[in-house]
Amino acid sequence: MKFTAEVLRDLAEPSNVAIHSNTELAGDVSIAAADDDKQREEKDLDRLRRKPGLKPIPAKDLGRLAQLTPWGVLHSFGRGITLARRGAGRGLAEHWGCLKYNQALTGNSDSFMALSTEGKETAEYYKALQSGEVGTGFALALATRLLSRRYPNHFVSIVPADTALRAGWALTSRDTGPKSGYRYRPQFFAEVWKPGEPSRVFPIACKGNHSGLSASHTQLASASAHAEAVHIGAWDETPCLVFSTELPLDGPLTVHTLEAGGEGGWLDAPERVLDHALEDENVYPGIQPPGQSDKPAEPEPGYHVSPELYGWFKHVLARTAAAGLTAFAGDTNATIPYLTKRQGQRHFAGFTHAATDSVQDARHRFFGIDFVGTDHVFRLNRKRVEAFSGVAEDLFRHLEEGRVEQYRREIYARRSAWPRDAWAPRWNGPVSIHPDGSVLGMRLLRD
């Protein structure tokens, strides 16, 4: 068993990440999709509509994704699940879900990241959960880097897709409104935006496994159906990213990824005031394909953000992203106004036990920047450690007062100015700061 201080140091150690994306992978995923279609036909199941034209991400883009730290990956995952409604113990189930993987990964600057000894010893029935959740962290971290470099004068926000879609569509039988009856959805949206200009949205579908390359082929084939379920604009013009992270017991962790191109995904509409509250819409489910001759085609299952919804959906993404950030800082009162009733307003207003909730009552200073947020104390290899998650105080005050427009202007202006160090000497522990102003830190608890 490692000393706790060693574990903390390892979390800040940058490692190379093995990324696999080539024409052979795209071909193998097509074969896996065809095999699955055949099996579904034999079982008399509906044929899945999958994202056509999945292709490899160019090597020049992959070669620039550089290194990640385990702590940075956990920060990406932790930010991604803060609105996930994972259980009644909100603070532990959602907010701190990333901390259980603090000893799962290992590597250094001369090697590729892999499962650690502790990560390999995960019980069999938890392996699917581990691979899916760790895979989500890698997918979001890499998608953010990829899109930030492709759109250098823009900001990239990650938004949970279910929470965003619930503002317009009834996703389950519990939701009010016309039921979609379709269980395939991307897990996240990446919104690429610049103040005062149209933003572009990329559905992201991500999965993970411990089983090997063939399992990743099957997962990417499935992910293509999830990504295809949301169209923004014209039929089959929405670009997307799909990921399957393979966590083998021997050898490096490998992220298999493909993308689909297209001219769509743009939310080109008159600006709405993002500070204004959002209301649930009742959008009729289904994606409208192009008609044949004069006869309109029957809608396909899924979710269609048509041009008249562009302004509303941009509003949804901005306020949902704000809700995720205030929730990450542990402030339920600040989170509630950013969510509609169907998005889970009541979930954050409800009572939870003090030991499992998150409360915005902690503050720390990292690299000369004041952050406010929430903390959690637990034992790591017998030693008590403190984890802190929060938001830069000046940015949090904007969100607390409902100033989404001002918050977005400031994170856009400061997007390249945040500290990139993975270890804070005065804090004496690993620290990850994201361009959205969020921070995740951990250290040995002082006596």
Side-chain angles (χ1 to χ4, degrees), residues 17 21 116 153 174 212 268 297 375 413 428:
V17 178
S21 188
S116 66
N153 296 318
R174 296 191 307 273
D268 188 1
D375 54 14
N428 197 29

Side-chain angles (χ1 to χ4, degrees), residues 139-443:
L140 297 183
L142 293 172
T144 302
R145 285 201 177 183
L146 175 68
L147 294 172
S148 296
R149 286 171 178 172
R150 285 184 173 176
Y151 297 85
N153 296 318
H154 292 71
F155 195 95
V156 178
S157 294
I158 299 294
V159 181
D162 268 17
T163 309
L165 291 172
R166 270 199 167 90
W169 291 268
L171 302 187
T172 67
S173 58
R174 296 191 307 273
D175 298 328
T176 56
K179 305 296 183 281
S180 66
Y182 197 59
R183 66 185 184 86
Y184 290 88
R185 296 184 290 275
Q187 284 83 16
F188 297 91
F189 295 118
E191 184 195 11
V192 180
W193 57 270
K194 184 177 183 179
E197 294 190 5
S199 60
R200 196 174 197 196
V201 181
F202 294 77
I204 296 173
C206 46
K207 297 172 179 281
N209 70 82
H210 289 84
S211 305
L213 182 55
S214 61
S216 285
H217 295 157
T218 303
Q219 287 189 333
L220 288 171
S222 173
S224 70
H226 287 271
E228 175 68 356
V230 174
H231 280 207
I232 299 168
W235 173 261
D236 264 339
E237 287 291 339
T238 307
C240 75
L241 294 165
V242 295
F243 296 88
S244 171
T245 300
E246 179 191 349
L247 286 78
L249 295 180
D250 295 305
L253 173 153
T254 304
V255 182
H256 306 280
T257 180
L258 296 169
E259 66 176 340
E263 299 300 316
W266 291 99
L267 299 178
D268 188 1
E271 287 290 311
R272 290 170 59 136
V273 181
L274 302 179
D275 294 355
H276 290 174
L278 188 66
E279 296 292 333
D280 281 320
E281 294 284 343
N282 283 308
V283 184
Y284 201 79
I287 301 171
Q288 187 61 53
Q292 301 295 325
S293 64
D294 296 332
K295 187 179 178 183
E298 284 292 312
E300 293 282 353
Y303 312 89
H304 196 170
V305 182
S306 49
E308 66 272 15
L309 296 173
Y310 287 171
W312 166 79
F313 196 60
K314 192 173 181 181
H315 196 184
V316 169
L317 293 174
R319 291 188 71 84
T320 305
L325 205 62
T326 53
F328 192 68
D331 197 322
T332 55
N333 289 331
T335 303
I336 291 166
Y338 289 116
L339 297 174
T340 68
K341 184 181 292 186
R342 213 160 51 205
Q343 282 184 305
Q345 210 177 60
R346 190 176 63 183
H347 178 67
F348 283 89
F351 173 80
T352 51
H353 190 278
T356 61
D357 200 3
S358 297
V359 181
Q360 190 270 299
D361 62 355
R363 61 172 61 239
H364 291 289
R365 189 173 178 85
F366 302 105
F367 308 111
I369 303 168
D370 290 320
F371 290 85
V372 294
T374 187
D375 54 14
H376 180 52
V377 175
F378 62 104
R379 288 193 183 273
L380 175 58
N381 293 354
R382 299 181 181 175
K383 296 287 187 179
R384 294 172 76 213
V385 295
E386 172 188 10
F388 171 76
S389 66
V391 179
E393 184 169 14
D394 58 333
L395 297 175
F396 181 80
R397 298 304 167 211
H398 291 319
L399 295 174
E400 188 180 43
E401 298 295 327
R403 298 189 293 266
V404 183
E405 306 253 8
Q406 181 69 19
Y407 163 76
R408 281 168 72 99
R409 283 195 295 270
E410 291 196 20
I411 59 168
Y412 177 79
R414 292 158 62 175
R415 66 194 183 281
S416 302
W418 296 97
R420 298 186 181 182
D421 303 47
W423 186 271
R426 287 186 62 186
W427 164 262
N428 197 29
V431 167
S432 169
I433 298 176
H434 281 187
D436 61 4
S438 66
V439 66
L440 184 67
M442 190 159 71
R443 66 177 174 180

